[in-house]
Amino acid sequence: MNILGLDTSTTTLAVAVVKNGTAAAMYNYGRQMRHSRNLVRCLDRVLRAARVDMARIDRIACGVGPGSYTGLRIGHAFVRGLTAGREIPVIPFSSLELIAYNMKPKHTTIAVVINARREKFYCGVFTRENAQLRRRGPDSVLSLDEVKALLRNEA
């Protein structure tokens, strides 16, 4: 099974291909938030590196935020275009969960906090048990004081 994954919710554009459960190719573009200009080029680069064409993609995993509203619209519209000609299942995932999954912490509790602007923060708290990542609650938009209180409670 070949899965194309992409996330456009943050300043870093992430595109990857997973072949039979193993990451075959990935590319992160984080210089400027110009996802609409770079998404097709990044997709092409990843597909070539993975030696897979779009006709052989079985599923698409797409970040659903939280994050940049414009970035999310770009990613979702792009996925919709890719799936228009075929009935490819789309797997939504939390962008905060993706970040947490890639962390290699000393402790089993992982808090992902991203600036949401206007003195608010996107926050997700997870627990790693063996190789499994478990969500401790829903992704939230919190004030700085609420983030501090949440992290005190999780420590």
Side-chain angles (χ1 to χ4, degrees), residues 7-141:
D7 188 18
T8 57
S9 65
T10 67
T11 55
T12 300
L13 165 62
V15 182
V17 171
V18 174
K19 291 169 75 173
N20 301 317
T22 303
M26 62 184 92
Y27 184 71
N28 295 314
Y29 183 87
R31 289 187 215 130
Q32 296 173 323
M33 198 149 178
R34 294 186 174 166
H35 300 340
S36 61
R37 290 184 184 177
N38 297 308
L39 192 50
V40 172
R41 183 172 48 84
C42 292
L43 173 64
D44 183 57
R45 177 184 228 166
V46 167
L47 290 174
R48 277 190 282 118
R51 297 182 182 179
V52 173
D53 61 26
M54 272 308 297
R56 298 186 55 99
I57 295 295
D58 302 302
R59 304 224 184 320
I60 299 176
C62 183
V64 294
S68 160
Y69 178 70
T70 300
L72 290 167
R73 285 182 26 223
I74 290 166
H76 294 181
F78 189 74
V79 168
R80 190 170 184 181
L82 291 175
T83 61
R86 296 177 44 207
E87 291 189 25
I88 303 172
V90 177
I91 305 162
F93 65 86
S94 159
S95 304
L96 298 179
E97 190 169 352
L98 178 65
I99 294 168
Y101 183 81
N102 285 299
M103 300 296 290
K104 293 182 171 54
K106 294 178 184 177
H107 306 287
T108 58
T109 300
I110 302 165
V112 179
V113 180
I114 298 176
N115 188 349
R117 299 187 189 163
R118 298 186 180 155
E119 299 180 16
K120 297 287 183 179
F121 298 86
Y122 300 121
C123 187
V125 180
F126 307 88
T127 302
R128 186 178 306 282
E129 298 171 9
N130 302 320
Q132 297 293 325
L133 190 68
R134 303 217 187 277
R135 180 178 289 284
R136 299 278 295 256
D139 292 345
S140 304
V141 179

